[in-house]
Amino acid sequence: MSPEPASPAPDTAAPRRLPPPPPAELRYGGRHAKNPLTDASFAQMCRRLPSVLAQTARMAWVIDRRAVLLLASCQLAIGTSAAVLLTATSRAMRWILANGEVADRLHQALPALLVITCASAAGRVATALSSYADGRITPRLTTESDCALVAAVCRMEAAARAEDGCADRQEAAEMGVVRSHVMVQDATRFTAAVVRMVSASGVLSVLHPLLLPLLLLAVVPAGVGAVLHARVSYETHYANVGDRNVRQNLRGWATSVKFTDEIRANGMTSYLVFWYRSISERIDARTLAAAPKMLRIVLVSSAIGGIFLVATWAGLAWLAASGRIEPAIAATAVVAVQTALAALSQLVIYGAAMFHTSLYLADMGGFLDYAAERAPSRGEFTPSRPVEEIRLDEVVYRYPGKETPAVAGVSLTVRSGEILAVVGENGSGKSTLTRLLAAIFLADKGMVSWNGRNVADLDPDSLWDLSGLVPQNFAQWPLSVRDNVTLGQPREAGDDLVWRALEEVGLRDAVEELPGGLDTLLARELWGGTELSGGQWQRLACARALYRRSSLLILDEPTSQMDARGEHAILEEIKTIAAGRITIVVTHQLVNTKIADRIIVMEHGRIAEHGTYDEVAHGGGLFAELLALSTDR
Ligand SMILES: Nc1ncnc2c1ncn2[C@@H]1O[C@H](COP(=O)(O)OP(=O)(O)OP(=O)(O)O)[C@@H](O)[C@H]1O
């Protein structure tokens, strides 16, 4: 007897591990937008400040006019109190430094001292009121910017979101929202500094014309330094946009409860931590590389400013020592120089901050314009109800950046009451076809029409009012069960319709068992939330589409996670309600296509076969081959 052939030994030796690959290098700079700093000169940057101020004022004015008026009055009060304070100081000094009895001199100086006290108090009150006004504007300003950004992204054409660089632009725009937290505060402090500086300079010029130019020379280098500093900082930010976008995305995935199992059971934790750290360190490296440059800017500008400041004090000492100004005037000049110096420093700091903010606001404004240009610019016709017929004529659609079209010349007509099944191998264009049928994408070539009218001429909101879609990757909204079904569009019949939709997908019992019934929050990661199983979530996604009772119902792999009972229930329901609507079912479960009146088989973006179940199952083509493979076990 010949020996049994030895079966191959199981491969028990663990393959040698290699170090994980570093995260891909992503660069935003220059490819998708122009760095605004490339050609910006210092003068151009300074010229930008009034427009930033005006932009801030305009944005704030829309939000709270009274608070803006209060802010403006406070700035005026702060400036006036500074001027009054300096003038009164000069008067008080004259008496205090005069000859005579101390009591007499103090008595004479008393009115001026009282004015100083009142001016200081008024200045403080105005400062307090101005931060109150800022507190009234800033939160709403940030909310407005944030909401504008979210709305712009939500309203863009779906196809535009796939454009190269769209996500990076969006990430850059997010920084504009972050900076809107400080823009009013920076603008307020900047204008307060301007007003205070003007008052102090006025007083100083009156005291001696030489003092002001010297003082300006002391602060201008700091101003140039601060703006150059902001420029380097923004350049670093700009270089980091791409990496920050990816990091932010990966952070969401790595820390989401939804992927906990996959990350752990596939041993991915260390890689994710390594990946996150690597990309963070790369961002840090760019930031740190800019630090010596920033240090040089600060040191050089401070040194030049310091030399001029010493010259200012020396000049003042010389004027006093040579008797060119009285000691009382010299004493006032000391206070005025200090005041003007502090105001100028603030002016420089907040001017640079505003300039810095203006760069981020420009990114945000740029993105909002970009998104507005990509908002649906379709016609305004309202589609006639119900949708009786959808027709595709030689429709072609290619994703941005792809060589070949995902749908490459499809002609098709579907009518109300019909169930159309779409099958085909992965990547053959089934989901893209459903996006074209639902007018989520507009055809690059050819035409999709609803009831004879080109979908490009129809108002998208009224059009989508007539459709219901269960996509392949449906959302698991962190909302209550009720809101997950109604998607924020409750009907007059109230919860009855919600329960009916849940019943139709066989989810009623499970929802009744939830602690809060329809009110249960479906988000385990949120306090008080609970979670459904994968199949239950899919049933809920189907319930959403059924609840809409729409003229067009599209189900893309609606039962892939369901048990046989759930799948059967849903297919039965689809058949029951098919009479009043167009139903499109995309599926890889070929047996499920038996419920369809017609089947189309997609291959490389085209319809390869087309007919009833019996016709395609026995046609000897791709469908028959796939069917045979699905039963070959
Ligand atoms: N957002 C996108 N951006 C770029 N290309 C895309 C995008 N979505 C799909 N594609 C490409 O379009 C082609 C068709 O994809 P589609 O999702 O329509 O296929 P499908 O038949 O639904 O596949 P599956 O059975 O895997 O769901 C594929 O080559 C795919 O890579």
Side-chain angles (χ1 to χ4, degrees):
M1 218 170 96
S2 61
E4 288 269 317
S7 58
D11 187 7
T12 48
R16 199 167 62 84
R17 295 232 170 180
L18 298 174
E25 182 94 21
L26 290 150
R27 286 209 156 258
Y28 166 69
R31 204 151 61 86
H32 305 301
K34 197 167 173 297
N35 184 341
L37 288 175
T38 316
D39 310 318
S41 70
F42 176 71
Q44 278 170 332
M45 293 185 215
C46 290
R47 274 205 297 275
R48 199 166 178 156
L49 290 182
S51 72
V52 186
L53 212 54
Q55 189 185 359
T56 310
R58 262 198 313 275
M59 288 166 80
W61 184 254
V62 175
I63 285 163
D64 191 336
R65 290 171 182 212
R66 275 160 64 175
V68 175
L69 290 175
L70 179 61
L71 255 184
S73 325
C74 289
Q75 306 309 334
L76 212 64
I78 291 169
T80 315
S81 68
V84 170
L85 199 131
L86 282 174
T87 320
T89 304
S90 154
R91 228 176 296 136
M93 285 296 175
R94 219 167 260 144
W95 288 114
I96 290 168
L97 298 177
N99 296 328
E101 288 291 313
V102 174
D104 270 356
R105 282 186 281 153
L106 280 179
H107 185 73
Q108 297 290 356
L110 197 59
L113 289 174
L114 276 175
V115 172
I116 291 173
T117 313
C118 292
S120 304
R124 300 266 160 136
V125 170
T127 307
L129 281 175
S130 112
S131 53
Y132 162 78
D134 170 25
R136 286 191 57 85
I137 298 168
T138 293
R140 285 184 282 166
L141 186 73
T142 305
T143 301
E144 285 302 320
S145 316
D146 198 20
C147 291
L149 192 62
V150 170
V153 174
C154 288
R155 291 197 201 289
M156 278 170 82
E157 277 282 4
R161 304 222 34 211
E163 271 178 23
D164 206 17
C166 176
D168 284 342
R169 280 198 182 96
Q170 187 185 330
E171 163 69 21
E174 300 283 349
M175 202 61 191
V177 175
V178 172
R179 291 295 288 209
S180 69
H181 275 293
V182 288
M183 71 189 276
V184 173
Q185 190 188 3
D186 288 348
T188 314
R189 293 190 177 166
F190 177 79
T191 44
V194 171
V195 174
R196 242 183 299 131
M197 199 199 73
V198 169
S199 325
S201 315
V203 173
L204 214 53
S205 320
V206 172
L207 296 178
H208 200 283
L210 199 66
L211 289 172
L212 187 63
L214 274 175
L215 194 65
L216 276 176
L217 283 176
V219 181
V220 164
V224 176
V227 173
L228 292 179
H229 194 276
R231 183 175 168 160
V232 174
S233 157
Y234 182 78
E235 264 164 4
T236 314
H237 155 84
Y238 200 77
N240 278 331
V241 166
D243 275 346
R244 270 212 331 267
N245 188 9
V246 181
R247 182 175 67 169
Q248 186 63 17
N249 236 302
L250 191 97
R251 192 176 206 284
W253 283 65
T255 56
S256 164
V257 176
K258 298 212 181 316
F259 308 118
T260 307
D261 300 350
E262 188 174 348
I263 291 169
R264 277 157 190 69
N266 286 318
M268 228 187 139
T269 311
S270 304
Y271 176 60
L272 282 178
V273 172
F274 158 80
W275 200 103
Y276 196 76
R277 177 166 280 283
S278 302
I279 207 152
S280 299
E281 281 172 356
R282 203 155 68 199
I283 292 171
D284 289 350
R286 290 196 194 104
T287 312
L288 291 179
K293 215 171 169 183
M294 293 200 182
L295 181 65
R296 270 198 303 278
I297 292 170
V298 174
L299 285 179
V300 171
S301 58
S302 304
I304 299 174
I307 291 167
F308 282 112
L309 189 59
V310 168
T312 310
W313 289 125
L316 187 59
W318 174 74
L319 289 171
S322 62
R324 283 178 169 79
I325 53 174
E326 296 170 31
I329 301 285
T332 310
V334 169
V335 179
V337 166
Q338 293 283 28
T339 308
L341 202 61
L344 272 171
S345 306
Q346 296 254 314
L347 188 105
V348 163
I349 291 167
Y350 293 110
M354 277 172 58
F355 164 69
H356 207 159
T357 301
S358 78
L359 299 175
Y360 296 117
L361 287 181
D363 282 341
M364 190 172 81
F367 178 75
L368 290 179
D369 292 344
Y370 169 87
E373 280 162 24
R374 283 155 184 80
S377 66
R378 307 186 187 182
E380 288 172 359
F381 290 105
T382 308
S384 53
R385 290 167 181 258
V387 188
E388 296 285 357
E389 181 191 272
I390 299 183
R391 199 182 147 100
L392 277 72
D393 283 308
E394 282 303 315
V395 167
V396 175
Y397 184 82
R398 190 171 57 80
Y399 285 97
K402 286 280 172 94
E403 300 262 299
T404 49
V407 168
V410 168
S411 296
L412 173 74
T413 305
V414 245
R415 296 196 174 81
S416 184
E418 197 178 6
I419 301 179
L420 177 78
V422 185
V423 301
E425 292 177 82
N426 294 136
S428 57
K430 303 180 296 296
S431 298
T432 311
L433 182 69
T434 62
R435 290 178 192 134
L436 289 160
L437 280 159
I440 296 167
F441 292 166
L442 294 179
D444 294 334
K445 284 192 202 141
M447 185 171 89
V448 178
S449 58
W450 282 27
N451 291 346
R453 195 176 279 277
N454 188 344
V455 288
D457 297 332
L458 296 173
D459 166 53
D461 287 334
S462 340
L463 185 141
W464 292 324
D465 207 29
L466 299 175
S467 62
L469 169 72
V470 180
Q472 216 171 44
N473 300 312
F474 52 86
Q476 301 181 356
W477 296 107
L479 300 171
S480 67
V481 177
R482 182 185 297 100
D483 292 343
N484 255 293
V485 174
T486 65
L487 296 179
Q489 300 151 60
R491 306 253 165 106
E492 254 175 6
D495 285 347
D496 290 350
L497 285 178
V498 178
W499 282 117
R500 193 166 109 192
L502 290 170
E503 181 124 27
E504 284 163 355
V505 297
L507 208 57
R508 187 180 188 116
D509 291 348
V511 172
E512 277 173 348
E513 278 170 24
L514 290 174
L518 288 178
D519 292 315
T520 310
L521 179 63
L522 295 181
R524 198 174 64 196
E525 58 270 41
L526 299 184
W527 187 84
T530 188
E531 190 52 287
L532 298 179
S533 74
Q536 285 174 330
W537 263 117
Q538 200 169 32
R539 288 178 189 226
L540 198 62
C542 288
R544 268 172 212 165
L546 296 180
Y547 172 83
R548 290 174 68 75
R549 294 288 180 249
S550 53
S551 295
L552 170 65
L553 178 61
I554 299 179
L555 305 122
D556 194 347
E557 290 289 345
T559 58
S560 57
Q561 301 182 48
M562 283 184 206
D563 57 37
R565 195 183 301 284
E567 185 169 40
H568 184 262
I570 295 219
L571 296 177
E572 283 303 304
E573 188 56 34
I574 292 172
K575 280 198 287 185
T576 311
I577 62 169
R581 58 187 42 82
I582 295 173
T583 308
I584 316 274
V585 184
V586 179
T587 182
H588 288 294
Q589 298 294 321
L590 300 186
V591 66
N592 290 344
T593 59
K594 283 184 176 175
I595 67 161
D597 301 295
R598 256 188 319 148
I599 298 164
I600 58 168
V601 185
M602 296 290 292
E603 192 176 23
H604 305 305
R606 296 176 191 278
I607 298 179
E609 288 164 41
H610 152 239
T612 62
Y613 181 84
D614 284 337
E615 283 166 357
V616 290
H618 302 112
L622 182 59
F623 188 93
E625 185 192 347
L626 294 174
L627 192 61
L629 287 172
S630 71
T631 52
D632 178 28
R633 298 289 183 273

